[in-house]
Amino acid sequence: MDRLEAMSLLLDTVAAGSFSAAARARAMPVATLTRKIGQLEAQLGAVLLLRSTRRLTLTDAGQRYVASVRRVLAWVDDMERDVAGEFVEPTGRLVLSAPRSFGRRHVLPIVGEFLRQHEGISVDLQLMDSNVDLVAGAADIAVRIGALPDSGLIATRLGSMRSVTVASPALLDRHRMPKEPADLARLPAIVLDIPLPKASTGMQASRADHPGRQVRLSVSGAEAAVDAAEAGIGFVRLLHYQVADALKAGRLRLLLEAHEDDPAPVHFLHAPVAQLPLKTRNFLEFARERMRASLRELAG
């Protein structure tokens, strides 16, 4: 048995949440992956994962072992990159994670500029609205919007993002412009079924989310919510970047600006390692001020 391969497969499985998802990511048969992890458990004489029909759970021994495996594999990666010259010349594959729409609008242009200046680096830009496990190595750098839990990750503050309430001119022609949050109760509402990021770790209710609102439409994607708001179906509360184009074009109008919640922070995050690869350090230095300028421009 290749011990390092089995360790890596274990981390992939924990990060993916299932054997099948990890096997797909590795382009490996599920039976092969489960056999290798089973061999690792047999060699250790300990059960690392509790299997159920719905999810995988680490045992206490598994949690301790995974924490150690992460340190071991990070050390091996550092050693191999050092030998390959990655700490001298920036080379290799850089994995970035960002929210879908924000990444396309604000991260992708910076990535394109970065790639033009660094011929030896390739970038895997993962655009998704769920958080990846940076400690497990799912990405080198992630963009996060919202308050950060005490996770031990290294954060670089980039700026902040407003949560705004908007409606179409057509809807406002049919109803009076709301002056107080309570006035939203008489307007039809569009609800996004993913909570908006908060400025703090508290789960305070938004002042714009009045309990008496008339929910006319619930959707699972911000793009659909914007389209529905432009069509006059109802008002909606979204992050500023998600409606910036529609506001600029006049297809939507801001409501209750004086009653907005505090803006949510925006950060770059990466796992704590003894020495960041040069490709990661270079991207952070290259992108930091550009991202801050992009967020200031949006806010302005």
Side-chain angles (χ1 to χ4, degrees):
M1 178 187 69
D2 185 330
R3 182 77 68 88
L4 288 178
E5 181 194 22
M7 290 177 174
S8 179
L9 290 174
L10 175 63
L11 290 190
D12 286 352
T13 302
V14 171
S18 70
F19 289 117
S20 58
R24 283 196 301 272
R26 282 291 190 112
M28 172 185 292
V30 176
T32 301
L33 185 144
T34 55
R35 186 184 74 251
K36 289 178 180 291
I37 292 179
Q39 289 172 344
L40 178 63
E41 290 179 314
Q43 186 161 354
L44 293 170
V47 175
L48 303 175
L49 292 168
L50 297 177
R51 288 83 161 166
S52 72
T53 57
R54 299 189 61 182
R55 57 177 296 180
L56 295 176
T57 305
L58 283 169
T59 63
D60 290 343
Q63 291 177 359
R64 294 193 300 271
Y65 186 72
V66 164
S68 299
V69 163
R70 285 170 177 156
R71 291 193 294 271
V72 169
L73 293 184
W75 178 82
V76 171
D77 286 344
D78 286 351
M79 178 184 64
E80 291 178 346
R81 285 195 292 260
D82 193 22
V83 171
E86 188 174 321
F87 289 109
V88 178
E89 180 67 25
T91 59
R93 174 172 167 264
L94 181 67
V95 182
L96 306 176
S97 174
R100 191 183 309 275
S101 177
F102 183 86
R104 180 171 62 85
R105 293 169 181 268
H106 297 280
V107 180
L108 182 57
I110 294 174
V111 167
E113 189 179 353
F114 178 77
L115 288 174
R116 286 190 288 272
Q117 297 186 23
H118 296 81
E119 294 293 335
I121 298 176
S122 62
V123 171
D124 179 359
L125 179 57
Q126 300 178 351
L127 300 180
M128 60 186 74
D129 292 326
S130 57
N131 292 339
V132 298
D133 189 342
L134 292 168
V135 176
D140 297 301
I141 302 170
V143 177
R144 295 274 171 85
I145 302 174
L148 300 178
D150 185 12
S151 63
L153 297 172
I154 307 302
T156 300
R157 177 71 180 253
L158 301 171
S160 59
M161 183 65 60
R162 296 163 60 193
S163 295
V164 297
T165 305
V166 297
S168 70
L171 181 75
L172 296 174
D173 285 343
R174 301 195 303 269
H175 301 271
R176 293 197 309 273
M177 173 70 79
K179 293 183 172 56
E180 298 290 337
D183 295 339
L184 293 176
R186 55 183 173 76
L187 296 181
I190 300 163
V191 176
L192 190 65
D193 62 8
I194 302 172
L196 293 179
K198 298 296 184 182
S200 68
T201 53
M203 297 303 292
Q204 73 273 21
S206 166
R207 290 185 295 275
D209 288 339
H210 192 271
R213 61 187 174 179
Q214 312 166 36
V215 177
R216 298 298 308 281
L217 177 66
S218 178
V219 295
S220 58
E223 294 86 354
V226 172
D227 291 343
E230 291 182 9
I233 292 175
F235 76 90
V236 69
R237 184 169 177 263
L238 293 167
L239 292 172
H240 187 201
Y241 76 86
Q242 294 168 328
V243 295
D245 289 346
L247 288 170
K248 185 176 180 179
R251 298 190 300 271
L252 292 175
R253 292 175 60 185
L254 284 170
L255 309 179
L256 302 172
E257 289 186 77
H259 297 274
E260 290 178 8
D261 290 329
D262 293 336
V266 183
H267 293 90
F268 276 144
L269 291 182
H270 65 81
V273 295
Q275 184 180 10
L276 279 176
L278 193 55
K279 63 184 180 185
T280 307
R281 296 204 308 272
N282 278 20
F283 182 81
L284 289 170
E285 292 169 3
F286 179 89
R288 182 173 55 236
E289 293 306 321
R290 288 169 172 81
M291 282 292 300
R292 287 170 177 167
S294 181
L295 288 170
R296 284 196 301 268
E297 182 181 356
L298 176 63

